Amino acid sequence: MNDYIAILLALITIIIVILYYLEKNKYIGLEKTNRRLQDIINQLDSQAKIIIKTDLALNKVQDELDKKITGLYTLHEIGKKISSTFNIEDMFVSINHPLVSKLGFSKAIIMLKDSASDAMMTKTAVGYSDNEIKAIETELNQARFHDLFFKKGALTLVNRGEGVVNQEDDLLDLFKTESFLTTPIVVKDDAMGFILMGNTSSYAKVTEGDSELLSILASQIGTSIENTRLYTELFNSHQALERRVKERTAELAKLNEELKRLNKVKSDFISAVSHELRTPLTSIKGYASILMTGKLGEVTQIQKERLEKIDKHSNNLTHLVNNLLDIARIESGRVQMDIKEIPIKDMLDSIVDIITPQVKEKEQTLKINTRAKIDKIKADSGQLERVLLNLLSNAVKFTPNKGRISVDIDEKEETVQFTIEDTGIGISRQDLEKVGQEFFRADNALQQNIKGSGLGLSLVKKIIEAHEGKIWVESELGKGTKFIFTLPKIQKG
Amino acid sequence: MSTIIGTGISTKLDSLAAGKEAALNAYYNLGRYDPDIVITFISTIFEQGEVIKGVKSVIKDTSLIGCSSIATISTHGPMRNSVAVFAISSDSLGFSCGKNLRISQNPRAASHKIAIEAAKSTNKTKNIFLMFSDCLSGNGTDIIRGAQELFGTSFPIIGGCATDEMLFQKTYQYLDNNVYTDSAVGLLVTGDMAKGIGSASGWQPLGRPHSVTRARSNLIKEIDKKAASEIYQDYFEKSFEELKKERISRLGINYPIGLLENKQKNQCAVRMPLRIEDDGTLVLSAEIEEGEDISLMIGDKDLVLDSAKKACLEALGNIKNKTARFALVFSDIARLQLLRKDAREEIDVIKNILGKNIPIIGCYTCGEYAESRFNNHDITITVFAE
């Protein structure tokens, strides 16, 4: 029995020992697993730190990039605004709170030197009260900070606590910022003022990356100030020029009025003289006729010849006086054109009938070419016949025997064009401009003793102009002359 | 007519003119209808008072509510440095507003008062409560709790916290002609219109879990029995002074704290650190409990875009077979910071699901109210349907 108990105890002891060893191994295993788990967790945390580090760096780059893109976009917008105005004050109004905030700043100030006093004047300020602006102006006008603001082309970045010297520290207090960036505004190589932008929060400090934006803005403002100055100069000189042109126009208008007045005096004078001439002329002609009849005594052949000359010259003089009177009347508007629709063919036939004897006498040929489709024209028939007769008489008169004369009628856009062409003596180039002037007679006509008063063409010109038409002449000395005049077409409907 | 939204956006760099332009566009888009309420979001690059003056010069006596935001969200996508005006005209919804100042003193009591003020002028069926608060004023959980004390814990509360240009200096809240700071404003929407809410973050834990060993309300005193700030000192390899100098909220946007056990829809609740106290205490955007396991979080573009899809589908699922009419979208600034120019894709995801022409009203917030909870780094989508 004791043996059994001893064996049992021995077995139990062996089992306990085995179990103890098993448990001990299991504990060691768990401890190992725990340690491994802890290592994994620590590795996980280390990896998390690496991820965070990388992520932070990426975010920083992305933030700077985003800020730059927003800044450049904003500068583009403001650039458009600035360049669209030539008023300096308007330009500064657009640099306002939203714009400054969008660029990533909470405060901004732009100061320019006053051209008269050389004192710094605030043009625009964001984030400052009126009293703060006054305090800044007072402080800056003591010239203490002059070098810092007017270092040509230099950007100054000041961050509180980052190695700033006393003067810069004072400026941080003066501008009530934790960091700021400033750059001069340069106009034509002269620093005219400065722009300063800054932040009040120590968490949003101004960085080197902002300096580029501020430089661009300062340069835009400088260019704009220069452009505005140039524009103002140009505008002022343009105004002065306009003023001078106005003055000259007024002077010319005055002279024109004077000319009109003188012309009227001339017309009135001609009219009056003509009237005064006509009455005695009528008497002269009348008495000459009575004398020629022999009622007042017998008239000898010599006396008759002299009386006939008196009658002929009286007629010429009457014709001249009548022409003068007509010119004066048309000029003064006293003659009303009796405008009616006239059949062109009938009018031309009548003229041809009148002129044919003269043409035949000089063995000339006269051709009428009507290419116009329209058959009527609006005109004063009496006056138009006078024009054509005058021009054709001239053509006959100045064309040698067996010469050619033609009348062409064409349609030209809104007008009907009459061309009276001859193969006559022509007009010299220097005389062409004077054709139509009252009493003008071309040199070659005078040399060849061709008679005329120099009033016919002047009258023709006045009649055509009274019809709202145009007349001009083309000629070559010794080859012939072309008188062309147009009259408005009859409007359909 | 039902409900019509007129949207107006302006990026004019003139505060008054931008307000006017956005309001005029919103009015123009509303057609012949008069607005019942105007919701507006304004970037802090603008002079806030001037913009509101510009908006009010157009909308006159119509109630206005809103907050400052780094970027607005509309059917046109996200837009930084902008003013957005949304004019709503509806014969099926009613609107009443409330506000409270200095909410940092007692966020819970403040939001409770806002809820009371908004609710007192109406006895119609309460539909949803939209709230905008200052993101720097503390405990988001408390703010939502205050409103819940009036409306009940199951009543839907949406909205978010106003932001500035990610400087975390000053945010603004608007009600009618006034611009407030350290405040909250609320809009109680009444009426029977159906709505569906969906939210998701897409942020993932990074590194090993840690345990909150001492905490109270939205303050973490100790993590793993060490000063709470050491978690950031350790991961970012920065000294306490460096961390303070750099501002913790700037880091917290990209690397917030995730509550590993406080999971909703398989996602960790996210808290953003707002600041560090001198003793190393982390001040969070909302509550955290002692003993909770936490981890640093990190965002990934694809996961974040996927979360927008999930949130939208969830909202759509909640309106069942009804037709979506318009949506309120509040996306966290962390998402904008992560997605950057691809933020448009997030809104495109929503438009692709809801329909290209469904009006979207929204902005980027720093912490979002969604149904009965407050969370950071979320996108919350509320779809109204008929």
Side-chain angles (χ1 to χ4, degrees):
Chain A
M1 183 70 180
N2 283 339
D3 287 344
Y4 282 116
I5 290 168
I7 290 166
L8 196 64
L9 278 172
L11 274 172
I12 288 168
T13 307
I14 289 163
I15 288 167
I16 286 170
V17 169
I18 290 167
L19 279 174
Y20 169 76
Y21 277 106
L22 280 174
E23 199 56 34
K24 195 180 175 186
N25 282 340
K26 195 178 166 188
Y27 177 75
I28 290 166
L30 271 174
E31 217 171 34
K32 268 186 185 169
T33 313
N34 264 348
R35 268 205 302 275
R36 197 176 293 160
L37 268 174
Q38 194 58 48
D39 285 346
I40 290 168
I41 285 169
N42 288 340
Q43 269 178 22
L44 202 65
D45 251 16
S46 301
Q47 282 166 2
K49 282 175 197 171
I50 293 166
I51 290 169
I52 286 171
K53 211 172 182 178
T54 316
D55 200 38
L56 275 175
L58 279 174
N59 274 332
K60 198 179 168 196
V61 172
Q62 190 71 54
D63 279 346
E64 278 169 12
L65 197 66
D66 284 356
K67 195 176 175 189
K68 194 151 266 184
I69 290 169
T70 308
L72 288 174
Y73 179 75
T74 311
L75 280 183
H76 172 68
E77 272 182 90
I78 192 71
K80 276 196 293 183
K81 261 191 188 175
I82 286 176
S83 56
S84 68
T85 178
F86 286 113
N87 181 328
I88 293 184
E89 301 308 320
D90 278 357
M91 177 179 79
F92 290 122
V93 165
S94 57
I95 300 170
N96 56 11
H97 185 277
L99 176 96
V100 171
S101 303
K102 205 173 168 186
L103 285 174
F105 303 100
S106 56
K107 284 186 186 283
I109 192 161
I110 295 176
M111 296 180 94
L112 293 184
K113 272 185 208 164
D114 182 62
S115 53
S117 64
D118 217 31
M120 296 302 295
M121 308 283 279
T122 305
K123 300 314 267 181
T124 188
V126 173
Y128 294 104
S129 68
D130 290 346
N131 284 339
E132 285 170 340
I133 291 168
K134 259 185 202 161
I136 291 168
E137 281 178 354
T138 310
E139 195 69 33
L140 292 190
N141 281 323
Q142 288 168 1
R144 200 179 136 205
F145 303 105
H146 189 276
D147 288 349
L148 199 133
F149 286 108
F150 293 104
K151 253 187 273 168
K152 197 177 146 190
L155 264 150
T156 311
L157 171 67
V158 182
N159 265 315
R160 197 183 291 281
E162 288 181 11
V164 293
V165 293
N166 282 343
Q167 197 190 35
E168 290 173 347
D169 223 358
D170 290 348
L171 278 175
L172 284 170
D173 293 337
L174 179 65
F175 288 106
K176 299 192 182 308
T177 55
E178 283 300 302
S179 58
F180 71 75
L181 193 60
T182 180
T183 188
I185 293 170
V186 179
V187 180
K188 268 192 140 183
D189 286 341
D190 277 338
M192 296 284 292
F194 70 87
I195 178 168
L196 178 144
M197 289 202 181
N199 275 324
T200 49
S201 168
S202 56
Y203 299 109
K205 283 191 174 171
V206 174
T207 63
E208 285 287 343
D210 297 319
S211 55
E212 204 177 332
L213 294 180
L214 204 71
S215 295
I216 296 170
L217 185 58
S219 149
Q220 276 180 341
I221 293 170
T223 311
S224 243
I225 291 172
E226 173 64 3
N227 286 347
T228 305
R229 199 179 57 75
L230 288 173
Y231 173 79
T232 310
E233 272 174 22
L234 194 70
F235 181 76
N236 288 342
S237 70
H238 178 75
Q239 291 286 94
L241 194 68
E242 224 169 49
R243 207 167 39 244
R244 285 225 303 276
V245 167
K246 251 185 198 170
E247 282 167 10
R248 292 288 296 147
T249 310
E251 276 171 27
L252 282 172
K254 209 172 160 188
L255 282 174
N256 200 28
E257 283 302 308
E258 183 62 12
L259 271 176
K260 272 186 188 166
R261 193 186 66 78
L262 287 174
N263 205 31
K264 190 174 179 299
V265 168
K266 180 201 77 178
S267 296
D268 289 349
F269 171 75
I270 290 170
S271 183
V273 168
S274 303
H275 271 294
E276 291 305 316
L277 282 172
R278 237 173 27 168
T279 317
L281 260 176
T282 313
S283 300
I284 291 166
K285 250 178 83 69
Y287 286 123
S289 298
I290 293 168
L291 283 172
M292 276 209 289
T293 56
K295 284 178 186 172
L296 297 174
E298 199 177 329
V299 181
T300 66
Q301 188 56 37
I302 296 171
Q303 283 171 333
K304 198 181 175 186
E305 279 172 14
R306 300 294 183 274
L307 283 172
E308 276 170 1
K309 277 192 177 175
I310 290 172
D311 186 54
K312 189 184 163 193
H313 287 298
S314 297
N315 280 340
N316 285 344
L317 201 58
T318 306
H319 184 68
L320 184 93
V321 168
N322 282 344
N323 274 353
L324 270 175
L325 266 174
D326 283 344
I327 289 170
R329 279 181 193 146
I330 292 169
E331 264 187 353
S332 64
R334 285 202 299 271
V335 171
Q336 279 289 0
M337 295 291 147
D338 183 17
I339 308 284
K340 281 177 187 161
E341 289 189 10
I342 319 163
I344 297 173
K345 191 176 177 303
D346 292 356
M347 182 191 60
L348 285 171
D349 286 349
S350 147
I351 301 292
V352 169
D353 284 348
I354 297 169
I355 206 77
T356 300
Q358 295 171 43
V359 172
K360 276 186 177 169
E361 196 181 321
K362 291 185 84 175
E363 295 175 66
Q364 294 164 332
T365 51
L366 172 64
K367 271 192 179 173
I368 310 288
N369 306 311
T370 309
R371 285 184 289 269
K373 284 179 188 166
I374 57 161
D375 55 358
K376 284 184 180 173
I377 189 147
K378 259 191 170 178
D380 181 319
S381 80
Q383 300 291 0
L384 188 58
E385 277 179 15
R386 203 169 175 181
V387 167
L388 284 164
L389 204 55
N390 217 312
L391 293 173
L392 276 170
S393 297
N394 277 349
V396 171
K397 203 162 35 170
F398 294 110
T399 302
N401 286 2
K402 296 185 181 174
R404 290 190 308 277
I405 298 163
S406 63
V407 178
D408 292 89
I409 298 116
D410 298 285
E411 278 182 59
K412 298 274 173 178
E413 293 173 358
E414 300 301 311
T415 60
V416 177
Q417 183 174 297
F418 292 79
T419 308
I420 295 93
E421 191 175 3
D422 62 51
T423 55
I425 59 171
I427 305 164
S428 69
R429 190 173 290 173
Q430 65 266 27
D431 284 347
L432 267 177
E433 285 178 16
K434 297 172 195 164
V435 170
Q437 284 180 8
E438 284 150 30
F439 301 109
F440 172 75
R441 301 208 61 224
D443 282 346
N444 53 347
L446 288 170
Q447 282 161 10
Q448 290 178 30
N449 274 333
I450 299 169
K451 289 178 181 173
S453 63
L455 284 177
L457 284 178
S458 177
L459 184 65
V460 163
K461 192 168 175 257
K462 296 276 184 284
I463 293 170
I464 296 297
E465 283 169 358
H467 278 83
E468 294 176 359
K470 280 179 187 168
I471 182 163
W472 67 96
V473 57
E474 294 168 8
S475 184
E476 202 175 330
L477 202 61
K479 286 196 173 172
T481 304
K482 219 191 251 185
F483 276 94
I484 306 147
F485 70 88
T486 59
L487 291 174
K489 252 190 215 174
I490 296 171
Q491 295 297 319
K492 285 177 186 170
Chain B
M1 171 190 94
S2 190
T3 302
I4 294 173
I5 315 289
T7 302
I9 311 283
S10 177
T11 53
K12 255 190 184 166
L13 289 178
D14 176 321
S15 304
L16 187 77
K20 268 189 192 175
E21 185 179 68
L24 279 170
N25 286 339
Y27 246 61
Y28 177 77
N29 288 330
L30 208 55
R32 60 198 168 91
Y33 300 103
D34 287 329
D36 297 310
I37 185 80
V38 164
I39 300 175
T40 187
F41 303 112
I42 304 167
S43 158
T44 53
I45 71 157
F46 296 101
E47 289 141 307
Q48 305 289 297
E50 287 295 295
V51 181
I52 295 294
K53 211 187 279 177
V55 176
K56 280 301 255 183
S57 71
V58 176
I59 67 164
K60 311 282 182 202
D61 295 330
T62 308
S63 284
L64 176 150
I65 194 164
C67 69
S68 61
S69 175
I70 189 166
T72 60
I73 296 173
S74 69
T75 321
H76 311 296
M79 189 87 79
R80 279 193 80 153
N81 306 312
S82 65
V83 173
V85 173
F86 302 98
I88 305 175
S89 184
S90 177
D91 54 15
S92 50
L93 294 174
F95 308 93
S96 58
C97 303
K99 64 150 202 314
N100 206 332
L101 313 182
R102 289 181 292 279
I103 58 166
S104 53
Q105 289 175 3
N106 189 343
R108 187 169 173 166
S111 66
H112 185 68
K113 274 188 191 167
I114 295 165
I116 290 172
E117 192 182 321
K120 75 179 175 194
S121 57
T122 180
N123 50 12
K124 291 181 188 157
T125 315
K126 295 176 185 63
N127 189 311
I128 202 163
F129 191 54
L130 176 63
M131 199 159 48
F132 304 114
S133 60
D134 189 336
C135 78
L136 307 168
S137 296
N139 192 340
T141 326
D142 256 1
I143 293 173
I144 208 161
R145 201 172 283 145
Q148 280 175 338
E149 279 168 3
L150 183 81
F151 298 123
T153 49
S154 57
F155 186 74
I157 297 170
I158 59 167
C161 299
T163 69
D164 57 12
E165 296 298 300
M166 267 189 229
L167 295 169
F168 300 96
Q169 282 180 322
K170 201 173 191 182
T171 77
Y172 303 92
Q173 299 74 45
Y174 324 121
L175 189 63
D176 294 326
N177 293 306
N178 303 304
V179 177
Y180 306 104
T181 191
D182 186 19
S183 306
V185 291
L187 175 72
L188 180 63
V189 181
T190 56
D192 294 323
M193 202 167 178
K195 78 257 164 206
I197 303 172
S199 64
S201 86
W203 249 255
Q204 297 298 312
L206 176 73
R208 69 187 175 89
H210 302 268
S211 182
V212 176
T213 44
R214 199 150 72 90
R216 181 174 56 83
S217 183
N218 61 328
L219 309 176
I220 312 181
K221 298 269 182 193
E222 283 179 8
I223 295 170
D224 297 335
K225 294 191 175 166
K226 288 188 280 188
S229 63
E230 283 191 30
I231 187 172
Y232 281 98
Q233 286 170 237
D234 189 30
Y235 279 109
F236 292 87
E237 294 170 342
K238 287 180 193 289
S239 68
F240 180 72
E241 285 71 29
E242 281 175 318
L243 211 54
K244 273 211 95 169
K245 206 170 156 188
E246 204 165 308
R247 189 172 273 196
I248 190 76
S249 47
R250 297 278 296 170
L251 291 176
I253 292 179
N254 293 324
Y255 315 99
I257 284 176
L259 316 187
L260 299 178
E261 290 158 20
N262 187 351
K263 281 190 177 172
Q264 292 209 357
K265 294 171 245 169
N266 266 337
Q267 288 191 97
C268 300
V270 180
R271 299 282 182 262
M272 198 175 112
L274 297 175
R275 60 182 182 274
I276 303 175
E277 302 284 326
D278 287 339
D279 63 353
T281 298
L282 281 178
V283 180
L284 301 184
S285 56
E287 270 180 16
I288 195 158
E289 282 180 15
E290 220 168 78
E292 202 144 10
D293 281 342
I294 60 163
S295 173
L296 217 59
M297 305 285 276
I298 193 164
D300 167 78
K301 278 189 184 181
D302 291 337
L303 290 174
V304 162
L305 287 175
D306 192 49
S307 72
K309 189 178 174 184
K310 275 182 194 162
C312 195
L313 288 172
E314 184 192 353
L316 210 58
N318 288 335
I319 59 167
K320 298 195 170 66
N321 295 324
K322 292 202 164 76
T323 310
R325 294 289 178 215
F326 70 98
L328 294 170
V329 175
F330 299 103
S331 182
D332 199 280
I333 48 166
R335 305 170 77 87
L336 182 69
Q337 172 76 357
L338 178 80
L339 295 170
R340 296 180 190 266
K341 65 178 174 50
D342 296 330
R344 177 166 289 275
E345 284 181 34
E346 188 176 52
I347 307 307
D348 285 344
V349 164
I350 299 168
K351 281 164 72 177
N352 288 341
I353 296 169
L354 294 183
K356 297 244 182 279
N357 297 321
I358 296 293
I360 293 174
I361 299 172
C363 70
Y364 286 88
T365 48
C366 182
E368 297 69 46
Y369 301 112
E371 298 191 89
S372 59
R373 68 192 187 101
F374 175 87
N375 202 27
N376 280 102
H377 294 55
D378 267 5
I379 182 165
T380 70
I381 302 164
T382 308
V383 179
F384 283 84
E386 282 173 321

